[in-house]
Structure formats: structure tokens, C-alpha cells
């Protein structure tokens, strides 16, 4: 926690009056409690309370200013403004991203690379009747934009389970010159044309029923797995009206699965093999979902609809970025002071690959 800016955290608290008429158990105590729960894989509020009280004599040195009680922590999680921690998560993202900006991503690309995808979080319908997904099932959907330089989430949106993935494109402001990797569920040519207007590039897997007309064929090296590289235009009236510019279609044969994949992109400068490798990097967002447990126990997430929809946003952003900062700064410090041993807290931070968020 020494690497986290206390001044910036207090600014977020003051921005939303998080400690207005508050006698004890400050927002920082709440933050430290939930950070301890994430890094040590606690499974309930009672588990958090028991573990912290077992080391009561050390709490002051850990930064706690008050005693941790399960009811107090539950009331704080339910009543305090979630935007405090969401804003602080954005502060942590701004710190973490430059630290990993030059990390290799498995493809020769100097621009920023993002992967956009979503995952469905299953919920109990009796506990969450407002999140009805099907007749006997409740769910929410988490849309995540992942910066593949360090696999840091830069945008998370929690919606109802019935919201289609493509709708989240309306909430993303494309970064000029950056690449966005999308699955075929995000094909909407009117929304994709916004990326072109913003001078951003996209690589999306195409569907079989999209009507295209080939204009040019470019030479390819089939020994690399690339089967074709075409310049195409949309022929369907509505699609052509929504996206009037030419597109590039790359066909690639995956040797491992013997599966032929086709991609659409608005970038005509990179080699066809690089386009296929960029799409292959999209799998990192699937690993990101797999390595994180987003559903917390029912006694932690029994909130009303507005709070419960944003609670995973707070925990996922903050809980995933915090270890990245500590890990990279510890590595940087070890290069200067190689004789200094890494503390046990730093080791537990680095090994925290699976986290649950509230």
C-alpha cells in the first residue's frame, strides 16, 4: 500500500463527501479492509473480520485507524458512494499504464492495443430479482476494455445481462492510432465507422452472412498461414451506407486447430500476418476473465440495483491494477537496491493472480 497515492485517495473521498458526519471507520479503513480481502482471498465479511481481529495488534502499523467489525463493514459497503473507489481506480490506471507501456505483447506493434469483450456473471434469481436474465436465472454482464500492454483493464461497464455487447461501443471514445480487437459480436458498421473517423483501427472477426465485393487481391505468403488478403467493399445497402469506405479482409488458417478465420480491418499498412497475430492477442481478455472471480458471496453483494451494478466495477478496476503497480515498482526498486529482500507483503501481492471483487 506504500505505492498508492494517499493524497489522491483523499481527493476522491472529498469529491463525493465520503466522510461527511463520519465518526469512525474512515473510507481508507474500508479500502484497506477490502484490499486485504482481495489479496488474501477472503470469502465473506465474517472471514475478513476474523482474520483482521486475529492480528489486531498489527492493524495500526498496517494503516488501520479503527477496529474492523462485520456489521460496520457491511454498512459501509452498502451506503458509501462507490464513485470514490471508481475514481481512485482510474488514478491507479494512470499510474500503472506507463509502467507497462513498453512491455512485449507477442506482436510487432508500436501502437496501443486494446481488446474488448464481455462476460456474463450468473446470479441467484431469488437474491437478485432485478437482474432477471431468463425465466429461472439472473445475471449481469461485465464489458471490459483491456490494455494488452500489461493486461490492465481501462474500462469496465456493468449492465443487465440482456444488454447486447455491441451497445458498449457507444460508450468508448476511440484513441487515435490505437488498435481495437473485437469479436464478431461487435459487428455494427455504423459504430465501427466511428473508429475510422477517429483515426483508430479495429480488427474484428467477420461473419459468414456479410455481403462483400472484392476489389483487389494482394500477394500473400501461404507458408505463414495467411490464405488471402483482399480489399473489399460492403454491398448490402444499409451496411454500405453506414460504412462507405473500403475494408480489408484477411483470411488466416490456424494450423493448431485447422480452422479458417476471416478478419475485417480498416488498416491497410500492416502485413496480413500481423493482422492475424493482433487478433490472436484477443485471447488475453478471456484469460483475464478466467483468472478473476467476479461473483462475491451473497452476504457481501446483497445490495440494491444501483449499488450492485457498480460494485464489481469498483473491485475489478482497483483490485486488478493495484498489484500491477506494486509488482513493477518493486522490480524497479530491486534493480537499484538488489541487496534488499522483498517483504512478505510484496510477495503476496505479486502472487495474487486470482482475486474476488466487491
Amino acid at each position: 500500500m506504500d505505492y498508492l497515492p494517499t493524497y489522491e485517495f483523499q481527493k476522491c473521498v472529498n469529491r463525493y463527501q465520503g466522510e461527511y458526519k463520519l465518526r469512525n471507520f474512515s473510507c481508507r479503513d474500508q479500502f484497506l479492509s477490502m484490499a486485504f480481502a482481495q489479496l488474501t482471498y477472503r470469502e465473506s465479511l465474517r472471514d475478513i473480520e476474523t482474520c483482521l481481529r486475529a492480528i489486531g495488534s498489527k492493524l495500526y502499523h498496517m494503516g488501520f485507524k479503527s477496529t474492523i467489525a462485520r456489521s460496520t463493514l457491511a454498512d459501509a459497503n452498502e451506503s458509501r458512494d462507490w464513485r470514490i473507489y471508481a475514481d481512485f481506480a482510474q488514478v491507479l490506471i494512470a499510474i500503472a499504464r506507463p509502467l507497462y507501456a513498453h512491455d512485449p505483447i507477442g506482436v510487432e506493434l508500436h501502437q496501443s492495443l486494446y481488446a474488448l469483450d464481455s462476460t456474463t456473471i450468473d446470479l441467484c434469481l431469488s437474491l437478485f430479482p432485478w437482474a432477471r436474465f431468463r425465466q429461472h436465472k439472473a445475471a449481469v454482464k461485465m464489458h471490459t476494455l483491456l490494455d494488452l500492454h500489461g493486461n490492465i483493464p481501462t474500462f469496465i461497464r456493468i449492465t443487465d445481462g440482456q444488454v447486447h455487447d455491441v451497445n458498449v461501443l457507444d460508450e468508448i471514445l476511440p484513441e487515435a492510432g490505437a488498435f481495437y480487437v473485437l469479436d464478431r459480436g461487435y459487428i455494427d458498421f455504423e459504430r465501427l465507422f466511428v473508429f475510422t473517423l477517429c483515426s483508430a483501427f479495429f480488427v474484428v472477426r467477420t461473419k459468414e452472412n456479410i455481403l462483400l465485393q472484392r476489389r483487389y487481391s494482394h500477394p500473400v505468403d501461404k507458408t505463414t498461414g495467411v490464405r488471402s488478403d483482399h480489399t473489399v467493399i460492403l454491398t448490402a445497402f444499409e451496411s454500405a451506407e453506414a460504412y462507405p469506405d473500403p475494408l480489408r479482409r484477411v483470411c488466416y488458417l490456424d494450423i493448431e486447430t485447422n480452422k479458417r478465420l476471416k478478419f475485417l480491418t480498416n488498416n491497410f499498412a500492416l502485413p496480413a500476418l500481423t493482422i492475424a497475430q493482433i487478433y490472436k492477442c484477443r485471447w488475453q481478455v478471456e484469460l483475464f476473465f478466467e483468472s478473476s472471480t467476479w461473483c462475491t458471496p451473497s452476504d457481501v453483494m446483497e445490495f440494491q440495483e444501483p449499488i450492485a451494478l457498480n460494485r464489481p466495477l469498483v473491485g475489478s478496476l482497483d483490485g486488478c491494477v493495484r498489484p500491477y503497480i506494486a509488482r513493477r515498482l518493486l522490480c524497479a526498486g530491486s534493480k537499484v537496491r538488489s541487496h534488499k529482500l522483498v517483504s512478505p507483503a510484496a510477495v503476496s501481492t505479486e502472487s495474487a493472480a486470482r482475486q474476488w471483487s466487491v
Side-chain angles (χ1 to χ4, degrees):
M1 294 299 171
D2 294 338
Y3 299 104
L4 306 185
T6 305
Y7 174 71
E8 293 293 338
F9 180 80
Q10 194 60 41
K11 284 174 59 178
C12 297
V13 174
N14 297 336
R15 185 178 301 129
Y16 300 105
Q17 298 181 348
E19 296 181 351
Y20 179 69
K21 292 184 178 181
L22 194 65
R23 294 184 178 180
N24 52 21
F25 198 68
S26 63
C27 291
R28 180 169 176 79
D29 287 343
Q30 181 189 7
F31 175 77
L32 293 175
S33 301
M34 303 315 299
F36 171 82
Q38 289 176 330
L39 296 178
T40 58
Y41 318 124
R42 299 303 97 196
E43 297 182 352
S44 65
L45 294 178
R46 190 183 303 276
D47 196 5
I48 299 173
E49 177 191 31
T50 302
C51 291
L52 288 178
R53 289 198 172 188
I55 54 173
S57 59
K58 301 178 181 179
L59 291 182
Y60 178 81
H61 302 284
M62 295 170 61
F64 290 92
K65 303 300 182 182
S66 58
T67 305
I68 306 302
R70 177 169 56 90
S71 59
T72 305
L73 183 57
D75 293 339
N77 288 344
E78 183 174 1
S79 60
R80 294 185 185 173
D81 200 326
W82 60 271
R83 294 176 295 179
I84 297 173
Y85 307 99
D87 286 6
F88 187 59
Q90 296 296 333
V91 174
L92 298 184
I93 289 173
I95 297 174
R97 289 185 64 188
L99 299 177
Y100 292 83
H102 303 289
D103 278 19
I105 55 177
V107 60
E108 292 294 333
L109 188 68
H110 300 289
Q111 296 90 336
S112 301
L113 180 59
Y114 301 93
L116 179 63
D117 205 352
S118 67
T119 184
T120 301
I121 305 173
D122 296 330
L123 301 175
C124 178
L125 185 59
S126 60
L127 292 177
F128 305 94
W130 49 266
R132 180 178 294 273
F133 182 52
R134 293 192 177 95
Q135 185 175 0
H136 303 290
K137 182 179 179 181
V140 294
K141 187 176 289 188
M142 184 177 69
H143 309 266
T144 303
L145 182 66
L146 195 70
D147 185 356
L148 296 181
H149 287 279
N151 296 336
I152 300 173
T154 60
F155 171 85
I156 289 182
R157 169 68 170 164
I158 308 296
T159 64
D160 186 84
Q162 298 179 352
V163 175
H164 196 276
D165 294 350
V166 76
N167 294 322
V168 79
L169 293 178
D170 298 332
E171 304 184 28
I172 295 177
L173 181 62
E175 176 185 337
F179 279 80
Y180 292 83
V181 187
L182 314 170
D183 201 4
R184 52 188 172 187
Y186 292 92
I187 291 184
D188 185 294
F189 291 108
E190 184 176 359
R191 291 180 169 94
L192 291 178
F193 192 58
V194 176
F195 286 82
T196 303
L197 296 178
C198 295
S199 300
F201 304 106
F202 60 84
V203 178
V204 59
R205 188 176 172 185
T206 185
K207 298 179 180 179
E208 295 295 336
N209 59 353
I210 295 180
L211 300 179
L212 300 171
Q213 182 180 357
R214 184 179 61 184
R215 285 296 180 89
Y216 307 102
S217 296
H218 307 283
V220 297
D221 183 5
K222 293 189 177 182
T223 60
T224 61
V226 179
R227 290 296 176 260
S228 63
D229 183 8
H230 299 151
T231 299
V232 298
I233 60 171
L234 299 169
T235 56
F237 177 76
E238 294 182 357
S239 300
E241 185 179 12
Y243 199 104
D245 290 358
L247 287 168
R248 183 184 184 186
R249 182 181 62 185
V250 176
C251 181
Y252 178 79
L253 178 63
D254 190 353
I255 305 299
E256 297 179 358
T257 61
N258 197 25
K259 190 174 182 180
R260 191 181 294 265
L261 305 174
K262 295 182 180 180
F263 315 113
L264 287 178
T265 180
N266 59 344
N267 183 277
F268 294 87
L270 293 179
L273 180 60
T274 304
I275 298 298
Q277 291 173 341
I278 287 176
Y279 185 82
K280 188 177 181 180
C281 295
R282 195 197 69 85
W283 187 249
Q284 294 298 325
V285 71
E286 302 290 350
L287 298 178
F288 176 79
F289 291 143
E290 184 179 352
S291 63
S292 304
T293 305
W294 305 108
C295 289
T296 59
S298 58
D299 59 342
V300 180
M301 276 195 64
E302 286 184 357
F303 304 115
Q304 297 299 320
E305 177 178 359
I307 300 177
L309 278 177
N310 292 287
R311 194 67 59 177
L313 180 147
V314 175
S316 56
L317 280 176
D318 173 71
C320 293
V321 177
R322 193 189 323 110
Y324 280 99
I325 297 175
R327 182 188 312 163
R328 180 48 56 93
L329 293 180
L330 280 171
C331 294
S334 63
K335 294 179 181 179
V336 180
R337 299 180 298 272
S338 58
H339 63 278
K340 186 176 181 180
L341 297 178
V342 179
S343 63
V347 175
S348 63
T349 301
E350 186 172 0
S351 62
R354 296 195 59 179
Q355 302 169 345
W356 61 271
S357 305
V358 179

